[in-house]
Amino acid sequence: MIPDRLDVAWITLIGLALATILVPPLVSRPLLANALLLTFAAVKGRRIVLDFLDLRSAPALWRGIVSAWVFIVVLFAWLASAIVALI
């Protein structure tokens, strides 16, 4: 039996949530830990947008706009954490 796309998305999201829980105790450098956590957040956000908001079947322009928005929000959060770490 071939798993459904939403089943794969759920498994991916659960794996990334578990990885999010495991990163802080395992990574001692805060800037690297923040980068990993925000990367996981970006992947989870894009996966949710594509699969659960059904943008996978939308025109490429809409997928690009929403994906760019997710990555810009994550980049802004990472820059804020980098500035705090450098101060």
Side-chain angles (χ1 to χ4, degrees):
M1 179 175 162
I2 298 173
D4 186 25
R5 185 181 76 226
L6 292 179
D7 293 335
V8 173
W10 271 112
I11 292 168
T12 304
L13 290 171
I14 290 170
L16 288 170
L18 291 174
T20 301
I21 293 169
L22 293 175
V23 165
L26 296 177
V27 179
S28 62
R29 299 182 66 189
L31 199 56
L32 178 61
N34 286 342
L36 280 173
L37 291 174
L38 289 170
T39 301
F40 295 158
V43 171
K44 288 189 292 187
R46 189 163 191 277
R47 192 73 190 211
I48 289 169
V49 164
L50 290 179
D51 291 328
F52 295 103
L53 296 181
D54 206 25
L55 280 182
R56 194 172 295 277
S57 59
L61 176 66
W62 284 109
R63 283 192 315 265
I65 289 170
V66 174
S67 295
W69 175 75
V70 169
F71 290 121
I72 288 169
V73 168
V74 168
L75 178 64
F76 180 75
W78 185 81
L79 286 173
S81 71
I83 289 170
V84 169
L86 293 175
I87 292 179

